[in-house]
Short mmCIF file of all heavy atoms in Angstrom, two decimals:
data_model
loop_
_atom_site.label_atom_id
_atom_site.label_comp_id
_atom_site.label_asym_id
_atom_site.label_seq_id
_atom_site.Cartn_x
_atom_site.Cartn_y
_atom_site.Cartn_z
N GLY B 88 30.64 -51.40 -52.73
CA GLY B 88 30.99 -49.95 -52.79
C GLY B 88 30.43 -49.27 -51.61
O GLY B 88 30.98 -48.23 -51.15
N ILE B 89 29.35 -49.78 -51.06
CA ILE B 89 28.68 -49.02 -49.98
C ILE B 89 29.46 -49.21 -48.70
O ILE B 89 29.68 -48.34 -47.86
CB ILE B 89 27.23 -49.41 -49.92
CG1 ILE B 89 26.47 -49.04 -51.21
CG2 ILE B 89 26.54 -48.77 -48.68
CD1 ILE B 89 25.12 -49.57 -51.30
N SER B 90 29.78 -50.44 -48.44
CA SER B 90 30.34 -50.75 -47.13
C SER B 90 31.82 -50.55 -47.09
O SER B 90 32.39 -50.50 -45.94
CB SER B 90 30.04 -52.20 -46.70
OG SER B 90 30.33 -53.08 -47.64
N LEU B 91 32.49 -50.38 -48.21
CA LEU B 91 33.92 -50.31 -48.18
C LEU B 91 34.50 -49.15 -47.24
O LEU B 91 35.30 -49.35 -46.39
CB LEU B 91 34.43 -50.03 -49.63
CG LEU B 91 35.90 -49.67 -49.87
CD1 LEU B 91 36.78 -50.81 -49.41
CD2 LEU B 91 36.13 -49.29 -51.27
N PHE B 92 33.81 -47.97 -47.42
CA PHE B 92 34.37 -46.80 -46.68
C PHE B 92 34.01 -46.88 -45.24
O PHE B 92 34.66 -46.23 -44.38
CB PHE B 92 33.99 -45.59 -47.32
CG PHE B 92 34.62 -45.37 -48.72
CD1 PHE B 92 33.89 -45.48 -49.85
CD2 PHE B 92 35.93 -45.12 -48.80
CE1 PHE B 92 34.51 -45.32 -51.08
CE2 PHE B 92 36.62 -45.03 -49.97
CZ PHE B 92 35.86 -45.10 -51.10
N PHE B 93 32.90 -47.50 -44.93
CA PHE B 93 32.59 -47.61 -43.51
C PHE B 93 33.58 -48.41 -42.80
O PHE B 93 33.86 -48.10 -41.64
CB PHE B 93 31.14 -48.17 -43.38
CG PHE B 93 30.07 -47.25 -43.85
CD1 PHE B 93 29.43 -47.49 -44.97
CD2 PHE B 93 29.86 -46.05 -43.18
CE1 PHE B 93 28.46 -46.67 -45.41
CE2 PHE B 93 28.91 -45.19 -43.64
CZ PHE B 93 28.21 -45.46 -44.76
N VAL B 94 34.02 -49.50 -43.35
CA VAL B 94 35.08 -50.28 -42.75
C VAL B 94 36.27 -49.45 -42.47
O VAL B 94 36.90 -49.41 -41.46
CB VAL B 94 35.36 -51.55 -43.64
CG1 VAL B 94 36.54 -52.29 -43.11
CG2 VAL B 94 34.17 -52.40 -43.73
N ILE B 95 36.68 -48.74 -43.49
CA ILE B 95 37.93 -47.87 -43.38
C ILE B 95 37.64 -46.78 -42.31
O ILE B 95 38.53 -46.57 -41.49
CB ILE B 95 38.22 -47.17 -44.71
CG1 ILE B 95 38.61 -48.36 -45.71
CG2 ILE B 95 39.43 -46.30 -44.61
CD1 ILE B 95 38.97 -47.88 -47.12
N LEU B 96 36.40 -46.29 -42.33
CA LEU B 96 36.14 -45.22 -41.30
C LEU B 96 36.27 -45.81 -39.87
O LEU B 96 36.89 -45.20 -39.02
CB LEU B 96 34.72 -44.74 -41.50
CG LEU B 96 34.24 -43.69 -40.46
CD1 LEU B 96 35.00 -42.42 -40.66
CD2 LEU B 96 32.73 -43.49 -40.68
N THR B 97 35.76 -47.06 -39.68
CA THR B 97 35.84 -47.63 -38.36
C THR B 97 37.28 -47.87 -37.93
O THR B 97 37.67 -47.53 -36.78
CB THR B 97 35.11 -48.97 -38.36
OG1 THR B 97 33.87 -48.86 -39.02
CG2 THR B 97 34.99 -49.51 -36.96
N THR B 98 38.10 -48.38 -38.80
CA THR B 98 39.49 -48.65 -38.51
C THR B 98 40.27 -47.33 -38.27
O THR B 98 41.23 -47.25 -37.60
CB THR B 98 40.14 -49.46 -39.51
OG1 THR B 98 40.03 -48.87 -40.76
CG2 THR B 98 39.63 -50.90 -39.55
N PHE B 99 39.80 -46.29 -38.96
CA PHE B 99 40.41 -44.95 -38.92
C PHE B 99 40.16 -44.40 -37.63
O PHE B 99 41.06 -43.66 -36.94
CB PHE B 99 39.79 -44.09 -40.00
CG PHE B 99 40.11 -42.64 -39.94
CD1 PHE B 99 41.40 -42.24 -40.35
CD2 PHE B 99 39.23 -41.77 -39.52
CE1 PHE B 99 41.74 -40.86 -40.21
CE2 PHE B 99 39.46 -40.41 -39.50
CZ PHE B 99 40.75 -39.94 -39.87
N LEU B 100 38.96 -44.56 -37.02
CA LEU B 100 38.61 -43.87 -35.78
C LEU B 100 39.18 -44.60 -34.52
O LEU B 100 39.38 -44.00 -33.53
CB LEU B 100 37.05 -43.70 -35.65
CG LEU B 100 36.48 -42.75 -36.53
CD1 LEU B 100 34.96 -42.68 -36.38
CD2 LEU B 100 36.99 -41.34 -36.19
N THR B 101 39.37 -45.91 -34.63
CA THR B 101 39.76 -46.63 -33.43
C THR B 101 41.12 -46.23 -32.87
O THR B 101 41.23 -45.92 -31.68
CB THR B 101 39.76 -48.17 -33.67
OG1 THR B 101 38.51 -48.44 -34.24
CG2 THR B 101 39.86 -48.89 -32.34
N PRO B 102 42.15 -46.13 -33.66
CA PRO B 102 43.45 -45.65 -33.08
C PRO B 102 43.30 -44.27 -32.42
O PRO B 102 43.92 -43.97 -31.44
CB PRO B 102 44.40 -45.51 -34.25
CG PRO B 102 43.79 -46.18 -35.35
CD PRO B 102 42.37 -46.41 -35.06
N ILE B 103 42.48 -43.43 -32.91
CA ILE B 103 42.22 -42.11 -32.44
C ILE B 103 41.53 -42.24 -31.03
O ILE B 103 42.02 -41.56 -30.10
CB ILE B 103 41.40 -41.30 -33.46
CG1 ILE B 103 42.22 -40.99 -34.59
CG2 ILE B 103 40.85 -40.04 -32.78
CD1 ILE B 103 41.50 -40.36 -35.74
N CYS B 104 40.57 -43.14 -30.96
CA CYS B 104 39.93 -43.37 -29.70
C CYS B 104 40.91 -43.74 -28.65
O CYS B 104 40.97 -43.32 -27.48
CB CYS B 104 38.82 -44.43 -29.78
SG CYS B 104 37.40 -43.90 -30.60
N ILE B 105 41.77 -44.65 -29.06
CA ILE B 105 42.74 -45.16 -28.13
C ILE B 105 43.69 -44.11 -27.74
O ILE B 105 44.17 -43.91 -26.56
CB ILE B 105 43.46 -46.43 -28.75
CG1 ILE B 105 42.49 -47.60 -28.67
CG2 ILE B 105 44.73 -46.74 -27.94
CD1 ILE B 105 42.82 -48.72 -29.45
N LEU B 106 44.09 -43.28 -28.74
CA LEU B 106 45.02 -42.20 -28.37
C LEU B 106 44.44 -41.14 -27.47
O LEU B 106 45.13 -40.54 -26.61
CB LEU B 106 45.50 -41.47 -29.70
CG LEU B 106 46.74 -41.96 -30.34
CD1 LEU B 106 47.04 -41.19 -31.55
CD2 LEU B 106 47.92 -41.82 -29.39
N VAL B 107 43.15 -40.95 -27.61
CA VAL B 107 42.46 -39.92 -26.83
C VAL B 107 42.54 -40.27 -25.31
O VAL B 107 42.80 -39.43 -24.44
CB VAL B 107 40.98 -39.72 -27.27
CG1 VAL B 107 40.20 -39.02 -26.17
CG2 VAL B 107 40.88 -39.03 -28.52
N GLY B 108 42.34 -41.55 -25.01
CA GLY B 108 42.42 -41.94 -23.60
C GLY B 108 43.69 -42.59 -23.29
O GLY B 108 43.85 -43.48 -22.51
N PHE B 109 44.81 -42.23 -23.97
CA PHE B 109 46.03 -42.95 -23.93
C PHE B 109 46.65 -43.06 -22.50
O PHE B 109 47.06 -44.09 -22.09
CB PHE B 109 47.07 -42.37 -24.83
CG PHE B 109 48.05 -43.27 -25.33
CD1 PHE B 109 47.66 -44.53 -25.84
CD2 PHE B 109 49.41 -43.03 -25.30
CE1 PHE B 109 48.56 -45.40 -26.33
CE2 PHE B 109 50.35 -43.83 -25.88
CZ PHE B 109 49.90 -45.12 -26.26
N TYR B 110 46.59 -41.96 -21.73
CA TYR B 110 47.41 -41.95 -20.52
C TYR B 110 46.42 -42.18 -19.33
O TYR B 110 46.82 -42.36 -18.17
CB TYR B 110 48.21 -40.74 -20.33
CG TYR B 110 49.27 -40.72 -21.35
CD1 TYR B 110 49.29 -39.83 -22.41
CD2 TYR B 110 50.33 -41.54 -21.19
CE1 TYR B 110 50.29 -39.77 -23.30
CE2 TYR B 110 51.36 -41.52 -22.13
CZ TYR B 110 51.31 -40.69 -23.19
OH TYR B 110 52.32 -40.69 -24.04
N SER B 111 45.09 -42.01 -19.55
CA SER B 111 44.29 -41.97 -18.37
C SER B 111 43.67 -43.30 -17.99
O SER B 111 43.20 -43.38 -16.84
CB SER B 111 43.14 -40.89 -18.53
OG SER B 111 43.13 -40.46 -19.89
N TYR B 112 43.61 -44.34 -18.85
CA TYR B 112 42.91 -45.49 -18.50
C TYR B 112 43.77 -46.75 -18.52
O TYR B 112 44.85 -46.69 -19.12
CB TYR B 112 41.74 -45.68 -19.49
CG TYR B 112 40.85 -44.37 -19.42
CD1 TYR B 112 40.84 -43.49 -20.51
CD2 TYR B 112 40.03 -44.17 -18.40
CE1 TYR B 112 40.05 -42.43 -20.52
CE2 TYR B 112 39.23 -43.05 -18.38
CZ TYR B 112 39.19 -42.20 -19.48
OH TYR B 112 38.43 -41.11 -19.50
N LYS B 113 43.25 -47.78 -18.05
CA LYS B 113 43.93 -49.04 -17.91
C LYS B 113 43.57 -50.09 -19.06
O LYS B 113 42.83 -49.57 -19.98
CB LYS B 113 43.67 -49.72 -16.56
CG LYS B 113 44.24 -48.85 -15.42
CD LYS B 113 45.56 -49.49 -14.99
CE LYS B 113 46.29 -48.59 -13.95
NZ LYS B 113 45.65 -48.61 -12.72
N LYS B 114 43.88 -51.22 -18.87
CA LYS B 114 43.82 -52.13 -20.00
C LYS B 114 42.34 -52.50 -20.43
O LYS B 114 42.04 -52.77 -21.46
CB LYS B 114 44.57 -53.36 -19.78
CG LYS B 114 43.89 -54.37 -18.74
CD LYS B 114 44.70 -55.59 -18.64
CE LYS B 114 44.17 -56.47 -17.55
NZ LYS B 114 44.88 -57.69 -17.37
N GLU B 115 41.50 -52.49 -19.33
CA GLU B 115 40.04 -52.82 -19.63
C GLU B 115 39.50 -51.86 -20.73
O GLU B 115 38.75 -52.23 -21.55
CB GLU B 115 39.24 -52.74 -18.34
CG GLU B 115 39.46 -53.79 -17.37
CD GLU B 115 40.56 -53.54 -16.48
OE1 GLU B 115 41.24 -52.45 -16.58
OE2 GLU B 115 40.92 -54.39 -15.58
N TYR B 116 39.95 -50.60 -20.62
CA TYR B 116 39.48 -49.57 -21.52
C TYR B 116 39.92 -49.92 -22.93
O TYR B 116 39.03 -49.95 -23.91
CB TYR B 116 40.12 -48.33 -21.06
CG TYR B 116 39.94 -47.14 -21.93
CD1 TYR B 116 38.76 -46.41 -21.83
CD2 TYR B 116 40.90 -46.79 -22.90
CE1 TYR B 116 38.54 -45.27 -22.59
CE2 TYR B 116 40.70 -45.60 -23.65
CZ TYR B 116 39.47 -44.88 -23.50
OH TYR B 116 39.34 -43.77 -24.28
N MET B 117 41.10 -50.32 -23.06
CA MET B 117 41.64 -50.64 -24.44
C MET B 117 40.93 -51.88 -25.00
O MET B 117 40.49 -51.91 -26.16
CB MET B 117 43.17 -51.02 -24.35
CG MET B 117 44.01 -50.06 -23.53
SD MET B 117 44.15 -48.50 -24.44
CE MET B 117 45.25 -47.64 -23.38
N ILE B 118 40.65 -52.85 -24.08
CA ILE B 118 39.92 -54.05 -24.56
C ILE B 118 38.50 -53.67 -25.08
O ILE B 118 38.21 -54.08 -26.09
CB ILE B 118 39.86 -55.05 -23.47
CG1 ILE B 118 41.24 -55.61 -23.15
CG2 ILE B 118 38.91 -56.18 -23.82
CD1 ILE B 118 41.28 -56.54 -21.99
N ALA B 119 37.95 -52.86 -24.22
CA ALA B 119 36.50 -52.54 -24.66
C ALA B 119 36.57 -51.82 -26.01
O ALA B 119 35.68 -52.07 -26.83
CB ALA B 119 35.95 -51.53 -23.55
N PHE B 120 37.62 -50.97 -26.20
CA PHE B 120 37.60 -50.30 -27.53
C PHE B 120 37.96 -51.25 -28.69
O PHE B 120 37.35 -51.13 -29.78
CB PHE B 120 38.55 -49.16 -27.58
CG PHE B 120 37.79 -47.95 -26.99
CD1 PHE B 120 37.96 -47.57 -25.74
CD2 PHE B 120 36.95 -47.28 -27.81
CE1 PHE B 120 37.23 -46.42 -25.29
CE2 PHE B 120 36.25 -46.16 -27.42
CZ PHE B 120 36.40 -45.81 -26.15
N PHE B 121 38.76 -52.29 -28.44
CA PHE B 121 39.02 -53.18 -29.49
C PHE B 121 37.67 -53.97 -29.89
O PHE B 121 37.40 -54.14 -31.03
CB PHE B 121 40.06 -54.19 -29.06
CG PHE B 121 41.41 -53.70 -29.47
CD1 PHE B 121 42.50 -53.86 -28.57
CD2 PHE B 121 41.61 -53.05 -30.59
CE1 PHE B 121 43.71 -53.43 -28.87
CE2 PHE B 121 42.88 -52.57 -30.97
CZ PHE B 121 43.91 -52.76 -30.11
N ILE B 122 36.92 -54.32 -28.77
CA ILE B 122 35.76 -55.01 -29.08
C ILE B 122 34.79 -54.07 -29.86
O ILE B 122 34.17 -54.42 -30.88
CB ILE B 122 35.06 -55.49 -27.83
CG1 ILE B 122 35.95 -56.56 -27.23
CG2 ILE B 122 33.70 -55.92 -28.06
CD1 ILE B 122 35.59 -57.01 -25.76
N CYS B 123 34.81 -52.77 -29.45
CA CYS B 123 34.00 -51.84 -30.15
C CYS B 123 34.48 -51.57 -31.54
O CYS B 123 33.68 -51.12 -32.41
CB CYS B 123 34.09 -50.51 -29.37
SG CYS B 123 32.57 -50.07 -28.69
N GLU B 124 35.63 -51.91 -31.86
CA GLU B 124 36.15 -51.79 -33.24
C GLU B 124 35.68 -52.97 -33.99
O GLU B 124 35.12 -52.82 -35.14
CB GLU B 124 37.66 -51.69 -33.31
CG GLU B 124 38.11 -51.58 -34.74
CD GLU B 124 39.52 -51.49 -34.90
OE1 GLU B 124 40.27 -51.65 -33.93
OE2 GLU B 124 39.96 -51.09 -36.06
N SER B 125 35.87 -54.12 -33.52
CA SER B 125 35.76 -55.28 -34.41
C SER B 125 34.27 -55.62 -34.66
O SER B 125 33.95 -56.13 -35.74
CB SER B 125 36.51 -56.46 -33.78
OG SER B 125 35.65 -57.11 -32.86
#
Side-chain angles (χ1 to χ4, degrees):
Chain B
I89 298 169
S90 47
L91 170 65
F92 291 109
F93 290 109
V94 172
I95 297 179
L96 178 68
T97 313
T98 53
F99 169 76
L100 287 178
T101 311
I103 289 167
C104 288
I105 286 166
L106 267 181
V107 164
F109 205 47
Y110 292 108
S111 9
Y112 305 106
K113 293 262 173 69
K114 71 175 178 184
E115 287 85 2
Y116 175 85
M117 312 289 186
I118 290 171
F120 273 98
F121 271 140
I122 292 170
C123 248
E124 176 177 18
S125 82

